[in-house]
Amino acid sequence: MGKSDGFLEYNRSLSPKRPVQERLKDYQEITKPLLSEEINKQGARCMDCGIPFCHAIGCPISNLIPEWNDAVYRGQWHDAYERLSLTNNLPEVTGRVCPAPCETACTLAINCAPVTIEQIELSIIEKAFAEGWVKPQPPAKETGKKIAVVGSGPAGLAAAQQLRRAGHSVTLFEKSSKIGGLLRFGIPDFKLEKWVLDRRIEQMNAEGVRFETNVDAGVSVSAAELKKNFDAILLTMGAGAPRDLKVPGRELSGVHYAMEFLTLSNKAISGEIKSDQIISAKGKTVLVIGGGDTGSDCVGTSNRQGAKKVYQFEILPKPREWKEPWNPSWPNWPLILRTSTSHEEGCERDWAITTKKFTGKDGKVHEAHCVRVVWELDKSTGQYSMKEIPGSEFVLQVDLVLLAMGFVHVEHSKLLTDLGVQFDARGNIQTNPSFMSSVPGVFAAGDTVRGASLVVWAISQGRQAARAVDLYLKS
Amino acid sequence: MKEQGLYHPSMEHDACGVGFVVKIDGTRTHQVVRDGVQILKNLVHRGAVGGDLKTGDGAGMILQIPHKFFSKVLKFPLPAEGKYGVGMLFLPRQGKDSDRAKKMIADQIAREGGKVLGWREVPVHPDCLGDMAREVMPSIWQIFATFDGLEGLALERRLYILRKVLENEAAKLGWGLEDFYIPSLSSRTVVYKGMFAAPQFDHFFIDLMDADLVSALAVVHQRYSTNTFPSWALAHPFHFVAHNGEINTLRGNINKMVAREGRISSDLFGAEIKKLLPIINLSLSDSGIFDNVFELLTLGGRSMEHTMMMMVPEAFGVKYHISEAKRAFFEYHAAIMEPWDGPAAIAFTDGTKIGAILDRNGLRPARYVITKSGLVVMASEVGVLDLNPPDILEKGMLAPGKMLLVDTAAKRVIKDNEIKSGIARHKPYRRWLEENRIELKGLLQVPGPVEVDQATLALRQRIFGYTLEDEKMILLPMAENAQEPVGSMGNDAALAVLSNRSQLLYNYFRQLFAQVTNPPIDPYRENLVMSLMSFVGRQGNLLDETPEHCHQLKLSHPILTNDDMERLRASNLASFRVCTVPMIFDATGSGGNLEKSVQALCSQVEQKLDEGYSLVILSDRDVGAGKAPIPALLAGSAVHQYLIRKGKRYLGGLVLETGEAREVHHFACLVGYGVNAINPYLVFESLADLKRRGHLSGKMTLEAAIENYITAIKKGLLKVMSKMGISTLRSYRGAQIFEAVGLNDEFVERYFPGTSSRIRGIGLEVVEQESLDRFKAAFQESRSNTETLDSGGSYHYRLNAEKHLFSPQAIVNLQKSVREGDYPTFKRYTSEVNDISKNLCTLRGLFRFKKGQPVPIEEVEPVETLVKRFVSSAMSFGSISKEAHETIAIAMNRLGASSNSGEGGEDEARYKPLPNGDSSKSSIKQVASARFGVTIDYLAHSRELQIKMAQGAKPGEGGQLPGHKVDELIARVRHSTPGVMLISPPPHHDIYSIEDLAQLIFDLKNANPEARISVKLVSEVGVGTVAAGVAKGKADMVLISGHDGGTGASPISSIKYAGSPWEIGLAEAQQVLVMNKLRDRIRVQVDGQLKTGRDVVIGAMLGAEEFGFGTTAVVTMGCIMMRKCHLNTCPVGVATQNPELRKRFSGKPEHLINFMKFMAQEVREIMAELGFRKFEDMVGRVDRLEVFEAVGHYKTQGLDFSKVLKVPEVPQGGAIRCVSAQTRDFSLSLDPELIKKAKNALEFKQPIVLEQKIRNCNRTVGTTLSYEIAKRYGLKGLPEDTIKIKFEGSAGQSFGAFLAHGVTFELEGDANDYFGKGLSGGKLIVYPPKSATFRPQDNIITGNVNLFGATGGEAYIHGRAGVRFGVRNSGAMAVVEGVGDHGCEYMTGGRVIILGQTGVNFAAGMSGGIAYVLDESQLFDTRCNLEMVDLEPVAEKEDREFLKTTIERHAKFTGSQYAKAILASWDEMLPRFVKVMPMDYKKAMAKMKEHQVKNSESAEMTEEVFL
């Protein structure tokens, strides 16, 4: 359906972004919502493909994208919401922070500009909240089964909601003071304001999910107790162990993991801590090491805190620049240079650089010693290996270094040791295709299993694991 | 021949030539017999011979009892003429068996009170027969008997009873038709017939040569059967009739007859009537069964004419101007008997009266001549007897639905009007109807508001398996547009029996469709012959007629609204009571409840009928917790069949009130399996809900939506019926025009008896389980909070929904592999498609190869030769873009393989090589029903000519190319007008029957002797016998397409539900061809979702030599299965004509080349592994296939492929693949001689004038001559009149077909069908013999379907032409003095002047060209189909001048006195001419004119002008 020639009639158009100068002054979201008529047109661009690659290859949770695009085009927002809520527990989150692999898989991305799927998703769910359509959906029948979900990131939230709606009694354990995990403490407000989470948590509360915050499962409540009191345990605590940069000078003050920096910043914004308790970039020269999304978030946060200058170094070579609106690797995720809103706000990016050591003054980091590298293909193994370029060494004066080099695996906490779950070679929890770990009745999903990945993958895993737990409890 | 493998005798078809000759005054002469034989001999080309090239399909004759002859040859005395009966008997040949049979006969005659006078063994000369005929030849006897001095009709009835007794006794003894058969047993007529071709006839039966063998009349018949399993019994004529055509509705007619048997009574037979049962002998053919019923009705008291009017009623819809009495007659009889529908020309006689009738569609030719000396000759062709022109009184033909009768007692010829008005008035039918017919007040009026139970709506929708797709892709489009939704591409979803999703029972049924053996109908342009009207209620005694017979509910169509149901229930007639029976089963138990509930339902209905109810409503309105609906199709058919078995079906009507039915296919199944009417209440509720939710466009009221929906279903039903060539719902109902795929025998036998189901499959338990799965899912707790439905995924791909062969990843991998030339990626693609654990969609998925001794791959035939077996499937330029079309051609040409033009013509610029040496010429040229751009030039520039009989995505249907897709170039190659819609008719108007196909094959072979001729069929049950017919029609290749093939646009229900998988069709074709010894001379190709090398090898083993790739080929060029071809919005520029989108086309010849090579490479790998070095060694090696038993799917367990994988017995001298070639007989062709004589004209353009005698056996004259011209000079041909040939006599079919420019044929005499077919620039002139005295303008001079598909040239016809004159003419100019029905149908160009009356439905679907009609009666507008044309006066100077000068030319060329008279009073006559002007054409012409004015330098027109 859609409008059969809508893609010929209308151009792709995204929500306008607030001007850089304005948005640097606050932590509010960067984009302004589009008028609904414009969204209707964007929906009209969907061709209702015989094979919707967005849904089938692009979207990890198999959002029924053509169905809600069509509904939006026709102004049937309620229908759109119904279709959207069939597959996604947190569209208000994915609508804001997802890199949208659906759009790169959109059929229009073969030779034209894809449908603005993410923006439509966000419009639908915001409309649904505004109209009061998002109501608690408590189960009609209680099964009497009890499930503990550990970790309240996207995987945990999605799983908890699904399991609760299936009639199980669900307790969600969170070691922090608030629910949301990485969504709340990892992602800056300018990408995801936290009332968005509160709103969803409220719904889940009303549906009967029990939230236990400030409970470090395995410590505050022992693994044995969990096993005793619950029919099943689902582990969704993410991949919290950050990748470290083991070079001389790492111990200097002013060298931090990105997540430390972001968490404190987020807590300060929400008022959980005072503003002087953060790691501040104010007036500092900041070096962000790592070219991914977390690094980018560090850039945006640093700039908002009033950094003097922000650098971002990436060890891999600069990806190819691609100005066209279509996807050269359709329907797969293209490896191209991406410029985030944080980059727009001021940042010097450089690639193929590795950091050899930090040197400091008075125990504080003062210089980063870097060298340029090349990547060479070893034809026998098919692997790329890195080689330093002699003579390319350089030194950068820095006041703050943020390590955003990704995460290695789930934190191997007491809970996991006590439960006795096995890990895979990469240190993630090992599960079978039904999401069960080596310990019967103990399931795991999300980054905990896959390693650090997208929010939408976490939701997908959470939902699938919930179904697996449900089937397990029924059998 | 018994059932074996996939061959089933019930699938045999026949058609043929039929005729009669009669002395009007009843004088008996031997000459009449000789004339009969002569007619047969001159119709020999309408028959066929079998695999031994000698065994005819059968011929025969009905004569009056030759008393004088018998008296001479018999050794015992005979009583007076008419006082004894003569039996013609086919008995076993062996003396002992023969004696047993004779003894049985004698015993029974004695028991029946008769006296045997004596026996005579009929002397025959079997030496002339073919081996196959001789092997099964019976011994032929005549027996003579008397019954107590009985004579006349009383004796006939006695003999009728006797014959039935004998047949029943034989059946009891287990004797089949081949052991015991009685061609005739009568005191009035005798039938001589057998398995021979016409020329053998009088040689075989020596009797026929005896001068004392005299008769006043003879009915003759030459048979062309689709296969050659010889049967002496099935030769025509039968006891009363000889039939050319096909009864499509046979299954329903049989069931209804069986149902009526319980109610039959007659004073004429009294208690003896029991001996007549069963009325129908089921081993007979359709014609034989027709004869059985005809015989009962005529001997039961009705006249032959009356009976024919009952069984083959003419159309009596509102568009026909017929008398009220006649209309009442037909309506009254509609309450008694349904039409025996299908194409039919039937000759009949009882020995005194002789006549012929044509069915309502008039699709068989029936020409007659009446002479002054008192002879009437009727035959499929004119010119079968040499008659002296001055002696001819009248030359005519039967019009659709009309009858001709000669009564030798009254010594008169009686015409249709007189016959019918007499019969229509002999009872007060009109008053009977008015007083008895029930028409519930308000019934079928505008629907009222719908009550929606909102709280349970979603739940109930889910119980009945509704999906979002059902709502959005089926219901909404129907409600919005009042027609079935259209889709594109093929159907690659899993077969119902392989699907993991719960399937509705309908999904296991596939619609059958007409191909070759009878034509589909155009339900839009020719719907005047169609009807959805029916009577519902208690039926009366068939052998009686009373006012109460029509005391039934009259429904104008079978879809009832909720209001209608209320009114029905509220009606309270004591004589017409209505009750409701719940159609529910208990969903709580552990299984087995469904069966019990169905049983209970059947007996409940029976009880209600016994109690006197006339209408039973089966209702599933009560579904809810614990109460599941019985699948409506199961309930409907089970009850229908149960009542038939109990002999009670006639007691009342069956109405379904069901939430399940929603698609056209559902309704078609329900009606097709015997239900009278359906109320789809949940559809109405769903529409109300959709309205509430804002899904219906703003202005649309719910009432309008419901009306639209009902209209869409009605149109859809007409379409489904028309696909099979069935005109009326009355005969479609219960006709079971379906085959089942995936249902087991026990289940089918019990609930759907008579339906073919070749691979068995699931049974009642799985049906129950699937119902319960749906039911339980509907109640799932987690779903309690949402009212939204499942996505569906059967049309558009959804993850976790229905499986599709082309998964998203498969497409990505395939495209990547061919673009990068990367074979490992291609292997990933094929393994994805072949992975049955995820992707079991097709039957072949369940097959695997038996291991062989591997050979080194180097020893296997190379890729280069393998790819030559590959073709790109037909895709027309128009359905796909120029870029895509030419890319395919270039790629295939580079490979030395073939691309197929599709049916859109071809730009002649493509016949020249490109500068880089590439060629974009399609080496296969398709000849489809619309004949777009099929000129002699097009035909001459090809290596293969393919006749498309059907297309996998829409078998039995036509199509249309919307005006916005017809740009300048497309218009030019299709010989049409830019911006004007183009219609492809459902049938080829020159193929209504198998012998017509043979004729077209003959035409095409003449049009290009170098090209091979192929015929494209679609897999369905019986396709094997059709393929045999095609082989006998001398095609060089037959293509079996799967049901799942692609399309640019087709109704969704056709894409999904018509046709069957190619695995079955191919296997059937292979088996029948091999067993018939026909396979050695014909190649076999297969296509339909072929995706991998494995598919190709399986195809080869099942019998294919060649392979077509359609969908897969376009995917390699960028298609991503958007399924929007019909919307012209293809975003990758493949299936669109939008110039912007065409720019996005990124396909390259290399992509397709890589694909074909990869495919060949994979085939090689498999060959190496299996141990085949040569591809041909694999063809037909079905023994190397086996079923992969390990597939543990719960539904596949019952599948049984033993019939598909049966190794056919190879007859001596036969083969399992093509090893030789067709032999062709051009001995009667005139062209070789003409070409020789015209050598100088051909070579040096030297004008030449020739003279030539001609007769009806000289067919397709001028076509090869035209080929020689086109080869040398292209379409422009020779200068006008370079070759002038004057013919004298009756020209055979296809006279002047594809005649090239520069050739002029003048014919003094008359012509048969297909005169000027495909005329390509030549000139045709025809006038009656100068010595004739009849008025040509009142007589038929040329046959049916003149100038079909003509693209240019001129024709002048002094006299009238038959039906369908100028159909699909796109450029020829013609003058004719009168035409039959459907004149100028689908015309897109050219001009036609008609100086006299036309038949009905003139200009239907005419989108271009102009017709001028002399309308002296001022009634032309009532006979013209005004949907697409305007009628205007001939006002403009240009028109006036054209008209006058052209008529002047006509007068000059033909010497027409009639034309001269018109010209003599021109000023008076001119205002009586009407100009028939297609509306769109007018607009487009105006636009072009405007454009030309603007660009006086005549710049080439751009496409934008027409967008």
Side-chain angles (χ1 to χ4, degrees), chain A residues 264-413:
Chain A
L264 290 170
S265 169
N266 282 333
K267 285 188 171 173
I269 294 159
S270 68
E272 245 181 285
I273 58 171
K274 295 213 181 78
S275 56
D276 57 1
Q277 290 175 288
I278 62 172
I279 301 166
S280 177
K282 188 166 177 148
K284 290 179 182 164
T285 299
V286 181
L287 170 60
V288 179
I289 298 180
D293 286 343
T294 307
S296 169
D297 290 347
C298 292
V299 172
T301 304
S302 301
N303 277 326
R304 277 170 181 69
Q305 291 179 351
K308 189 164 87 189
K309 169 94 190 165
V310 184
Y311 294 92
Q312 186 183 17
F313 289 172
E314 164 61 43
I315 197 165
L316 291 169
K318 184 176 179 179
R320 83 165 145 160
E321 293 189 43
W322 182 259
K323 294 266 161 43
E324 305 298 342
W326 57 83
N327 174 4
S329 314
W330 183 89
N332 301 317
W333 184 250
L335 295 175
I336 54 172
L337 179 66
R338 289 186 166 77
T339 301
S340 71
T341 55
S342 293
H343 296 138
E344 291 167 5
E345 291 158 7
C347 165
E348 191 169 325
R349 284 194 277 173
D350 209 340
W351 288 267
I353 293 172
T354 185
T355 309
K356 302 293 288 180
K357 66 175 176 184
F358 301 109
T359 51
K361 261 187 199 163
D362 311 327
K364 285 186 182 170
V365 69
H366 182 58
E367 285 168 335
H369 298 257
C370 308
V371 63
R372 297 194 178 270
V373 297
V374 286
W375 291 85
E376 280 170 356
L377 179 67
D378 180 342
K379 285 197 179 131
S380 62
T381 63
Q383 305 270 314
Y384 280 91
S385 65
M386 186 183 83
K387 242 174 64 182
E388 291 175 13
I389 302 175
S392 70
E393 298 82 359
F394 67 97
V395 175
L396 187 72
Q397 294 219 335
V398 295
D399 308 312
L400 178 64
V401 174
L402 299 172
L403 303 178
M405 293 153 32
F407 302 87
V408 287
H409 49 64
V410 63
E411 285 177 279
H412 293 176
S413 62

Side-chain angles (χ1 to χ4, degrees), chain B residues 559-634:
Chain B
I559 314 300
L560 300 176
T561 65
N562 296 356
D563 298 352
D564 296 335
M565 296 302 285
E566 240 167 73
R567 292 195 192 98
L568 266 182
R569 288 188 165 111
S571 75
N572 217 355
L573 289 174
S575 53
F576 192 87
R577 290 195 294 149
V578 178
C579 67
T580 305
V581 174
M583 187 165 63
I584 297 289
F585 76 101
D586 181 2
T588 55
S590 55
N593 287 338
L594 181 57
E595 184 173 3
K596 282 179 232 149
S597 301
V598 171
Q599 252 168 2
L601 183 71
C602 292
S603 29
Q604 245 177 308
V605 174
E606 181 185 11
Q607 196 188 330
K608 294 289 182 191
L609 293 175
D610 288 343
E611 285 168 20
Y613 287 94
S614 302
L615 192 71
V616 182
I617 300 169
L618 309 183
S619 174
D620 56 26
R621 268 203 180 256
D622 286 344
V623 292
K627 292 196 279 188
I630 299 178
L633 178 56
L634 175 63

Side-chain angles (χ1 to χ4, degrees), chain B residues 753-900:
Chain B
T755 303
S756 350
S757 181
R758 274 95 51 86
I759 54 167
R760 309 220 167 125
I762 66 159
L764 192 64
E765 318 73 51
V766 176
V767 172
E768 177 169 7
Q769 190 184 332
E770 293 198 283
S771 293
L772 288 176
D773 285 350
R774 275 195 298 279
F775 189 79
K776 284 177 183 148
F779 282 95
Q780 237 175 52
E781 312 98 73
S782 59
R783 297 295 303 270
S784 58
N785 288 311
T786 166
E787 298 203 336
T788 191
L789 302 169
D790 277 349
S791 294
S794 74
Y795 303 100
H796 285 183
Y797 185 89
R798 292 290 183 270
L799 272 174
N800 309 317
E802 193 53 83
K803 295 175 287 189
H804 289 259
L805 208 48
F806 250 140
S807 70
Q809 199 56 51
I811 289 190
V812 172
N813 286 342
L814 174 59
Q815 293 187 343
K816 188 168 151 48
S817 72
V818 299
R819 282 176 194 156
E820 297 174 4
D822 183 39
Y823 188 63
T825 309
F826 181 80
K827 295 295 282 183
R828 275 202 294 283
Y829 149 75
T830 56
S831 59
E832 169 107 12
V833 172
N834 289 339
D835 180 359
I836 55 169
S837 65
K838 290 195 300 203
N839 218 7
L840 180 60
C841 292
T842 58
L843 298 179
R844 58 190 173 278
L846 295 167
F847 297 165
R848 87 177 159 186
F849 305 119
K850 283 188 199 159
K851 289 216 170 6
Q853 186 63 45
V855 294
I857 192 155
E858 300 74 37
E859 293 176 19
V860 175
E861 194 176 336
V863 163
E864 288 66 32
T865 61
L866 287 175
V867 291
K868 295 199 174 23
R869 296 178 176 270
F870 298 163
V871 301
S872 68
S873 297
M875 286 175 274
S876 72
F877 167 49
S879 76
I880 63 174
S881 65
K882 178 174 186 287
E883 292 74 13
H885 203 264
E886 294 183 2
T887 303
I888 294 175
I890 290 171
M892 297 311 279
N893 285 334
R894 279 194 207 161
L895 285 168
S898 300
S899 66
N900 190 320

Side-chain angles (χ1 to χ4, degrees), chain A residues 167-184:
Chain A
H168 306 299
S169 159
V170 179
T171 307
L172 182 55
F173 294 98
E174 170 57 51
K175 67 178 177 195
S176 307
S177 53
K178 287 191 171 178
I179 294 294
L182 183 114
L183 299 177
R184 184 174 296 276

Side-chain angles (χ1 to χ4, degrees), chain B residues 192-217:
Chain B
Y192 282 84
K193 68 178 183 181
M195 280 295 291
F196 25 73
Q200 301 155 352
F201 188 38
D202 56 348
H203 183 75
F204 181 79
F205 283 119
I206 302 151
D207 288 4
L208 297 175
M209 307 286 272
D210 194 307
D212 286 328
L213 189 97
V214 295
S215 176
L217 54 83

Side-chain angles (χ1 to χ4, degrees), chain B residues 653-706:
Chain B
L654 219 49
V655 173
L656 287 196
E657 182 179 47
T658 176
E660 192 184 74
R662 48 197 180 261
E663 290 183 40
V664 167
H665 179 66
H666 300 170
F667 293 94
C669 286
L670 291 171
V671 175
Y673 281 99
V675 168
N676 293 85
I678 303 114
N679 164 240
Y681 63 88
L682 196 56
V683 169
F684 301 139
E685 281 188 58
S686 302
L687 288 176
D689 183 54
L690 287 166
K691 170 78 188 159
R692 182 185 64 82
R693 282 158 49 204
H695 283 266
L696 283 171
S697 57
K699 277 173 274 170
M700 174 91 55
T701 62
L702 175 59
E703 291 68 35
I706 291 178

